[in-house]
Amino acid sequence: RLGSAHVIVGVLVSASVKSTMRLLETSGAEATRARITLRDAQGNQKGSQALEVPRYGMKSVDLASLSGGATIAGGRVEITVESGGGAIAGVATMLDPSRNGGATLVSQPIGGFVAPLSRARRLNAATLTTVVAPVVLNGPQPSGDTVQTSMGFSSSGSKVSAVITWRPVDGQPVENSVEVLPNLTLHFDNVLEQLFGLAPGAKANGSIFISGPGAELYVQLLALVGGKWVPASTLPIFPTLSELMT
């Protein structure tokens, strides 16, 4: 709505992935004009477009038309309402046409951990909170796929520091820390190899715990297809392990 911006973090735009942004008016109040702005991981604006969304209607945009042909990993889409009394929700889909698979990201209010495909939380920037990504994979899988886990952090406000703990199912926990600057995205194509030093291509299975103040967070599973990494699914994030039982 007016005065309440939303954001989607973790957007991938490339020649091998069909990335589409959809805006939906969900209140039925009236047609509403909203603007989407695509930024890369460094916070640079790559493109912007305003859309008039009918009441209970939908409008879509191919994100490649906003990227100027550039490949973007760990990008973000900001959604602001410019006029109208409706409520706008955003959904980004990233599909691999060669395997009819991909990932879906849903917009959340700016600020707070973003929990794709699970419950969202908006956190006070001064509150220390722990969330868990319970399914983190790397390397060859029984399905025959080779996968890796992509993870990213973004802050729409002040600088954020977080402690990241990798807990493998068959080993000891490994702890590291990250610092996220305002309006930038800290993106890891392979969080286990790049942040925790896992050997390239090694098979791994476990969970990642993230402790810190409010930030936007995303976790995606990527699959190796034709020599390229493409989105396979969006992985859930839970504020507590107890939510896995409810």
Side-chain angles (χ1 to χ4, degrees):
R1 296 179 184 272
L2 280 170
S4 179
H6 273 217
V7 65
I8 295 177
V9 294
V11 173
L12 172 65
V13 183
S14 74
S16 59
V17 176
K18 174 70 173 177
S19 299
T20 304
M21 181 71 206
R22 293 177 173 85
L23 296 183
L24 303 93
E25 199 291 305
T26 59
S27 71
E30 62 178 337
T32 300
R33 181 182 176 87
R35 179 171 296 278
I36 61 174
T37 301
L38 175 65
R39 298 184 184 277
D40 62 18
Q42 291 72 46
N44 302 308
Q45 180 175 318
K46 308 305 291 186
S48 181
Q49 184 173 341
L51 299 170
E52 187 81 12
V53 186
R55 60 186 296 269
Y56 286 134
M58 180 188 73
K59 288 291 182 71
S60 62
V61 174
D62 185 345
L63 289 177
S65 68
L66 300 181
S67 70
T71 296
I72 297 175
R76 57 188 283 139
V77 176
E78 298 166 354
I79 306 167
T80 54
V81 172
E82 295 186 334
S83 63
I88 297 294
V91 178
T93 57
M94 297 166 290
L95 303 178
D96 169 26
S98 69
R99 56 184 280 155
N100 291 324
T104 300
L105 299 170
V106 180
S107 68
Q108 307 290 348
I110 288 180
F113 283 113
V114 173
L117 303 187
S118 75
R119 234 170 286 179
R121 292 290 188 274
R122 186 171 186 176
L123 306 177
N124 185 290
T127 302
L128 185 67
T129 305
T130 298
V131 299
V132 57
V135 182
V136 178
L137 304 172
N138 200 76
Q141 302 299 305
S143 63
D145 287 337
T146 297
V147 301
Q148 65 183 35
T149 301
S150 169
M151 179 177 284
F153 309 84
S154 182
S155 173
S156 300
S158 58
K159 182 173 67 174
V160 170
S161 297
V163 175
I164 319 298
T165 304
W166 159 238
R167 296 182 180 273
V169 295
D170 56 356
Q172 295 298 311
V174 181
E175 186 177 288
N176 211 328
S177 61
V178 297
E179 185 176 85
V180 186
L181 299 178
N183 301 314
L184 301 181
T185 300
L186 180 61
H187 174 79
F188 297 96
D189 287 326
N190 187 321
V191 66
L192 295 182
E193 295 180 9
Q194 294 174 316
L195 188 59
F196 295 104
L198 188 73
K203 187 175 181 178
N205 176 19
S207 302
I208 287 182
F209 289 74
I210 304 100
S211 297
E216 289 99 32
L217 165 67
Y218 59 89
V219 185
Q220 296 171 18
L221 189 68
L222 306 181
L224 184 61
V225 179
K228 296 181 180 180
W229 291 101
V230 297
S233 66
T234 301
L235 300 176
I237 304 167
F238 295 91
T240 62
L241 275 175
S242 63
E243 291 207 4
L244 294 172
M245 307 298 294
T246 61

